[in-house]
Amino acid sequence: MTEQLSSGAAPFSAAPPTGWGKLWREPARPDWIRRRPGAPWLVVATVCIGAFMGQLDASIVTLAVPAIRTDMNATLAQVEWVALIYLLVLVGSISAVGRLADMVGRKLLYTYGFALFTLASLGCALAPDITWLLVARAVQAVGAAMLQANSVALIRTSMPAGKLGKAIGLQGAAQAIGLAMGPSVGGLLIGLGGWRWVFFVNIPAGIIGLLLGWFLLPRTHVKAPRARLDWLGLVALMPAVGALLLALSEAARLGFGNSVVLGLLGASLVLFVLFALRERRARHPLVDLSLFRSGTFSRGVATGLLGYLVLFGVLFVTPLHLESEYFLPPAQAGLLLTVLPVTLGLVAPVAGLLADRFGARLPASAGMGLAAVALAALVFSSHDLWVTAAALAAMGMGLGLFTPANNASVAAAGHDHQAGMVSGVLNMTRGVGTSLGVALGAVAYSLANALGNSAGAPAVPGLGFRIAVALFAVLGAAAAVLSFLGRRARPKALPAPEDHSEPG
């Protein structure tokens, strides 16, 4: 069986590599793996390791910040950059990495991403000072971008038609498990061996992921034509994303009315406009803006951003509420909060099956609707700990229905030789949504509490939390409506050609 090549795609070349060229050649899978009926699911399992590790690392490092500050005698501003520089480099570079992967091979960049992430984690663990640690975190973020920009693309180009939603649902479950385990695993590692073990733990997982990727992932058979990377587009995109993320980070501390925040937002807007103008004229753009002409794609990106905004906004404000109103220790508050990602992870594979059978509209709109209702219940019943736990569980179920279905509809957009580009846009959306959720949650929480205290009346317990959650409920309802307005189209994926025509 042979595949019709998409417009603009370059067919797989079987010319044998020589010398250093071997390092830039994707190795074939063993025949006994390629011929297995379940070979596509081995691809999903490999990608799930990277998804789990990425979310575990993201949720675990924040716990280590106080210990890093004490051990390295660093300022608060310095240690804040341990998390911030990782996010800036990751989100700013992921579209370029996705574009490059479409040209040189997704397996190649994915496996090298495991190697780079693992080596950078070792550099973080052995860092003698804060400067070394920040540089290692930036390199680690490049490795994470190589993983994330190719994860959904590898699934999309490996799964047969009608299985994409289920596969992305399993990946979503792996991400949720990593997110849920982060606080408990991080607290245990820091307690037993210190903050450096937060980075040491990535090394065995990275080695396993690298080996599995090398042997189980298929070579890229449909590539984008080789072309010079759009450096002018990248020069506009990276500072645009960086200014936006910095603005959101400062807004969480200073508010959106601060002159620095407004200046950064203005600079980001100008740079994004310049980026869009550049991409419209570029022969080989980092992001093909014609993708956004598809209502399914543009709605999926917009609602995906709102979904991640709601998720991480609630994950940010809920511990503050639990500790201030219920006086729960951080460990107990974190344990209660894991109800959300755990239920999300349990429901995500089911949501993928529903998306494969009925299309993305039903699970996506119903899921965000359920999340919005759960948040509305939380606004009016936040004084009851059991109701809080039940609402968080319902919200996790709703987001577990929404996220895989929505991601599958976005991932199926464009041609196969654009899969890395689409995956990069999808993951950049997640990074921006995460930062925006934290910023809006912090501003709403702080502003409502400040207004309540300045009114002269007795302080209203949990007012800031309820205002923030009400805002997220409204945004969740908006995402549900947008999802429902979409066409009832099933996410699709072409059968992988390497499983039928080419070795490996």
Side-chain angles (χ1 to χ4, degrees):
M1 174 178 177
T2 58
E3 182 184 10
Q4 289 279 34
L5 293 181
S6 304
S7 174
F12 174 79
S13 173
T18 59
W20 289 102
K22 293 180 180 180
L23 296 176
W24 301 104
R25 175 76 170 183
E26 294 177 323
R29 294 175 294 179
D31 282 345
W32 66 271
I33 291 177
R34 181 178 61 85
R35 298 179 187 278
R36 289 178 60 91
W41 296 107
L42 295 178
V43 175
V44 176
T46 303
V47 168
C48 282
I49 294 176
F52 169 81
M53 190 170 72
Q55 289 301 308
L56 181 71
D57 183 80
S59 60
I60 208 174
V61 168
T62 54
L63 294 175
V65 167
I68 293 172
R69 182 184 181 188
T70 301
D71 185 48
M72 293 191 164
N73 195 28
T75 65
L76 180 60
Q78 287 176 320
V79 292
E80 284 177 345
W81 276 92
V82 173
L84 188 57
I85 196 170
Y86 179 88
L87 185 63
L88 289 173
V89 174
L90 169 62
V91 179
S93 63
I94 198 165
S95 290
V97 172
R99 173 77 176 112
L100 185 63
D102 284 337
M103 292 189 290
V104 303
R106 300 175 198 102
K107 173 178 181 173
L108 186 73
L109 262 66
Y110 189 83
T111 51
Y112 280 5
F114 261 124
L116 188 61
F117 188 90
T118 303
L119 290 172
S121 296
L122 179 62
C124 291
L126 300 176
D129 53 49
I130 192 68
T131 301
W132 179 294
L133 179 59
L134 293 177
V135 171
R137 283 287 284 170
V139 176
Q140 190 185 41
V142 176
M146 295 167 72
L147 293 172
Q148 292 188 22
N150 291 287
S151 57
V152 173
L154 284 164
I155 293 176
R156 176 235 168 101
T157 55
S158 298
M159 298 306 298
K163 300 293 184 181
L164 179 60
K166 180 181 178 181
I168 291 183
L170 290 172
Q171 185 212 20
Q175 290 177 324
I177 293 170
L179 188 64
M181 290 181 61
S184 56
V185 171
L188 180 64
L189 290 172
I190 294 169
L192 292 177
W195 66 266
R196 296 180 187 274
W197 282 95
V198 166
F199 298 105
F200 276 130
V201 74
N202 291 330
I203 297 173
I207 293 173
I208 292 171
L210 173 62
L211 293 175
L212 290 179
W214 204 250
F215 287 102
L216 301 183
L217 295 180
R219 290 184 288 182
T220 306
H221 287 256
V222 180
K223 299 178 182 179
R226 289 288 184 101
R228 293 189 57 156
L229 196 65
D230 181 16
W231 291 106
L232 288 178
L234 184 60
V235 165
L237 179 62
M238 286 200 70
V241 173
L244 176 60
L245 296 180
L246 280 173
L248 296 176
S249 175
E250 290 301 299
R253 186 169 59 92
L254 303 174
F256 280 98
N258 182 269
S259 59
V260 173
V261 174
L262 292 175
L264 287 169
L265 287 174
S268 176
L269 178 60
V270 170
L271 288 167
F272 271 119
V273 170
L274 292 175
F275 172 72
L277 292 174
R278 167 62 190 174
E279 296 308 279
R280 289 182 63 182
R281 299 178 58 185
R283 290 186 60 191
H284 302 286
L286 288 179
V287 178
D288 187 349
L289 298 183
S290 66
L291 290 169
F292 289 90
R293 295 173 187 166
S294 163
T296 299
F297 183 80
S298 55
R299 269 190 299 267
V301 169
T303 54
L305 186 144
L306 290 174
Y308 289 119
L309 184 159
V310 169
L311 171 60
F312 285 93
V314 171
L315 288 174
F316 176 79
V317 299
T318 302
L320 301 176
H321 174 64
L322 295 175
E323 293 174 29
S324 64
E325 185 165 345
Y326 294 103
F327 305 105
L328 292 182
Q332 292 184 22
L335 184 62
L336 178 60
L337 194 62
T338 58
V339 169
L340 198 165
V342 166
T343 52
L344 192 160
L346 290 173
V347 172
V350 179
L353 288 171
L354 291 174
D356 287 333
R357 184 167 183 179
F358 302 107
R361 184 171 75 164
L362 176 64
S365 58
M368 282 307 299
L370 176 59
V373 170
L375 289 170
L378 196 55
V379 172
F380 297 105
S381 306
S382 59
H383 60 279
D384 189 317
L385 196 59
W386 287 104
V387 172
T388 299
L392 290 173
M395 180 187 167
M397 292 175 62
L399 290 173
L401 282 170
F402 166 79
T403 305
N406 188 70
N407 285 358
S409 68
V410 174
H415 301 294
D416 268 7
H417 70 274
Q418 296 174 312
M421 178 190 295
V422 171
S423 183
V425 171
L426 186 61
N427 283 283
M428 185 169 66
T429 299
R430 178 172 62 185
V432 174
T434 299
S435 298
L436 188 56
V438 172
L440 287 178
V443 170
Y445 187 91
S446 302
L447 184 60
N449 283 335
L451 290 175
N453 293 334
S454 64
V460 179
L463 176 62
F465 174 74
R466 285 198 286 271
I467 294 297
V469 170
L471 172 62
F472 295 138
V474 171
L475 294 174
V481 172
L482 280 174
S483 296
F484 185 75
L485 292 176
R487 292 177 298 172
R488 191 184 297 273
R490 291 180 177 84
K492 61 184 184 302
L494 294 173
E498 59 269 22
D499 288 331
H500 305 284
S501 59
E502 300 280 0

